Each structure stands twice: as structure tokens, then as C-alpha cells.
Amino acid sequence: MRFAARLAAASLLAAVATVGVGAPAHADRYRNDQWFLPFLRVSEAHAISQGEGVTVALIDSGVEGGHPDLTGNVLKGFDTIVGGDGDGWGDDEGHGSSMAGLIAGHGHGAGNRDGVLGLAPKAKILPIRISTAKGHGGGDAIAIGIDEAVKRGVKIISISESAPSADSSVLIKAVERAHAAGVLIIAAAGNQPENFYVAAPGRYPGAVAVGAVDQKGAVAPVSTRGAEVQLVAPGVDITSTSRINKATNTQYRRSSGTSPATAITAGVAALVWSKYPQLTADEVLERMTRTAVDKGPAGRDNDYGFGLIDPVAALTAPAASPSAAAPTVAPSVEVSLPELPGTPDSGGLSRLFTGVVLLVVVLVGAVLVIAGIAVFLVLRKRR
């Protein structure tokens, strides 16, 4: 997640410890720097799915669509802020391009062995630009971006951004609408010390907040903890694409934080949905959380959520068992009579009726006993 003040009430931007990486003597240096690829067994996952047929909306600083590692994978998108070209292309900061590479980078050169490889190299990116060199649109821009992504029919929205600390009803409702439309929103949990609690929109119901781990799988010091964290992914020293800067001869960058962890998680979601297109957004998330590697205390916790994403397990695990609440046979038809206004429930009415009957029985029995005694006394006197 990026955090750097821009304008009053703007969201916090800029990935932690981001550095530019120049043109190397051997282009495959970038691929070798991507330690998370073998860590997550991405080559095994790619033998099963590469994200084909899935579009991921990326709400960020725009995308360098002409980057050699992204060519053909970036659609014409949308700007929610002035200063861009209107279609999400272009990136003044490099952050959005970096996230795009982690999601759908395909490399370049012979056999695409050089450059950056993303988690879902056959997925498409729909760039939605909410910041330029002139400023950041904040929470309302994120909300507009979410609505636009839903309108364009995407399955996944990746947000490595945060809104200002104050909750926005506009953004909350945009997340709700997206979830109701069957869209999976994956958002950064936030970076410490800037965020002491899970950032918006990741903390909102309907979004999936993602934390970061290091090369050993331990939660990264920068990763914000909280009850809303659901998954973690690699987020330390992550090499990816960037904006093309001819002046400095750079087009790659390395960064740390929950931003890259979020993009990697969105890429895994694209792999799963490509493999299982019949699943709903909630079912894709269930498969990802169920197969995550449990870290820290047993079960879900505030540091790791349900655990570290496992692309291979998410793609190969058997389907979830039917919910205990889900009927396995056709339910029987029951007919109930409406209650009368102001009357007790049927159980209370039954108990009242039973009490009256018992009282009547007792009274009748008492009368009979008294009558019997009286008859006995009369007959005795006659003797």
C-alpha cells in the first residue's frame, strides 16, 4: 500500500522502501530477483492456470501499457482524476505499473524468460487511474473507480491504495454494491507506522484485506495487523515493472509493503477464477482462505488472517464440503396459520388451554367426591 500525503484529505501514497532498478547487462536479473515465484511455486500453478479469460481492475496511479512485460495485457481503462489521458494509461509514479506487473506481467524476450512474470500472465488489466502528478482523488475517486469496474463487468478489483482515515459512506456503499454484484475486491491492509489499523477500503465488509510477509513467511514489520486481515502474501523486496523513465533508464522497481502483497493475491484470485469460472466471488475467496497456509496461532489471527496464500493448493484442492445449513434434499412444505393480532404465540395458547381443562377436571372431580360423601351419609342414616 502506498502512503504519501498529497493535497488536503488525500490518501497516503508511495510504497515503502521503493527503489528504481536500471537496465541490466542480463535482462533475466529481474526474473531472478522475484523470490516469491519459487516461494509460491508459481511454475506449478501456471501448469494448471494462467488467468486466461479474467480481467482485473487495478485502481491505482495508472499503468504503463507499453511496457514490454505488459504488452497486450492492458486494456483501455478510465481516469477518475484530471491530469491523465482519460483511459488509465500512463503512470507518473510507477506504483500502478508495478502492481500490474505482479498481477499480469508476462515477461519478454525468448520464451518470455526475461523481465517480470506476474501471477496471472494471461489475465487482463483494466487500469483505473485515481492519481497523477497533480494530486490524488482520495476515497471518492476510489469509489468512482469501483463503480466503473463493476459497470465494465470485471471479476476482480485490486486496490493497493487507501482512503483517508475517516470512513466514507460513499466508499462503503461502493464496496457493498460491488460485493452484491459478485465482484471480489482485494485491498491492502496498510503499512505501519502510517496505519495503526486496517486501512479503508480493506477494512470494509465486502472487501478482502491483505497483509505482507517476508522471505521466511513471517509477517512483515510494515504490515498492519487487525481483525479485518484475511490473507497474507509476499510483500518484502518485491521486484516488478514500473513506469518507463528514459531519463534515468529505468523501467523496473523494487518495493515493500502490503501493496505488492495485494497485487499478488489478486493474481492468485485470477488463477482460481480462470480454472473454476463457475464459482462465485465468495466461493473463490473461500477456496483461497481454506487452502491458505496457517501461520502464527492456530486458526485465523490478526497478523496473518487465515494464512499465507497457496496458489497450487487453491487450484488443486477438492471442492468445499456442502454447508451444513444447505439442504441436501427438497425441503418439506409446511403450512402455518397466521397469528391473530394481540394473541399469544401458539405455545402460550396451548398451555393456557391445557390449564383450563385441568382446572375443570379438578373442579368436577371435587364435586363428584362431595356428592358421593353426601349420598353415603344419607343412606347410612336411613339404616
Side-chain angles (χ1 to χ4, degrees), residues 33-225:
D33 280 349
Q34 292 189 286
W35 63 266
F36 59 89
L37 295 177
F39 182 81
L40 295 176
R41 297 183 295 156
V42 171
S43 61
E44 291 182 51
H46 284 175
I48 303 168
S49 173
Q50 295 189 28
E52 190 170 7
V54 176
T55 297
V56 179
L58 179 61
I59 298 178
D60 214 291
S61 62
V63 175
E64 191 79 67
H67 195 289
D69 294 346
L70 291 168
T71 303
N73 278 1
V74 183
L75 306 175
K76 292 296 183 179
F78 180 76
D79 287 1
T80 67
I81 189 171
V82 297
D85 294 331
D87 58 7
W89 281 50
D91 186 356
D92 295 332
E93 305 164 30
H95 187 273
S97 298
S98 178
M99 301 306 106
L102 295 174
I103 297 170
H106 51 56
H108 66 272
N112 286 332
R113 290 191 297 268
D114 300 335
V116 162
L117 181 65
L119 270 290
K122 291 187 178 180
K124 302 296 183 184
I125 296 292
L126 179 73
I128 298 179
R129 193 174 190 179
I130 64 169
S131 67
T132 67
K134 296 182 179 180
H136 190 282
D140 287 352
I142 296 175
I144 293 171
I146 291 173
D147 286 337
E148 181 66 21
V150 173
K151 178 181 176 181
R152 297 199 184 194
V154 304
K155 289 182 174 291
I156 301 162
I157 301 175
S158 181
I159 309 175
S160 293
E161 291 276 354
S162 70
S165 57
D167 285 327
S168 163
S169 61
V170 173
L171 183 53
I172 291 172
K173 291 192 176 298
V175 172
E176 290 176 351
R177 286 191 293 270
H179 184 256
V183 177
L184 185 60
I185 295 181
I186 300 175
N191 296 334
Q192 296 186 30
E194 291 88 352
N195 295 89
F196 293 105
Y197 52 86
V198 175
R203 68 170 175 261
Y204 296 151
V208 181
V210 179
V213 297
D214 61 18
Q215 292 90 333
K216 295 182 179 180
V219 63
V222 71
S223 185
T224 298
R225 281 79 155 168

Side-chain angles (χ1 to χ4, degrees), residues 230-323:
Q230 296 196 49
L231 290 165
V232 292
V236 175
D237 292 337
I238 304 298
T239 296
S240 187
T241 46
S242 185
R243 71 188 185 102
I244 298 174
N245 189 331
K246 295 181 179 179
T248 59
N249 194 29
T250 57
Q251 57 183 354
Y252 296 94
R253 59 190 260 153
R254 185 182 301 116
S255 63
S256 296
T258 57
S259 279
T262 298
I264 289 171
T265 302
V268 174
L271 295 181
V272 173
W273 227 330
S274 177
K275 171 68 174 176
Y276 303 102
Q278 77 282 3
L279 296 183
T280 65
D282 288 342
E283 289 168 342
V284 169
L285 177 59
E286 185 280 331
R287 179 173 278 270
M288 292 172 66
T289 55
R290 172 166 51 91
T291 59
V293 180
D294 194 9
K295 309 284 287 185
R300 201 213 149 274
D301 62 79
N302 289 354
D303 290 351
Y304 299 93
F306 290 100
L308 171 66
I309 58 168
D310 187 335
V312 176
L315 290 168
T316 59
S321 301
S323 170

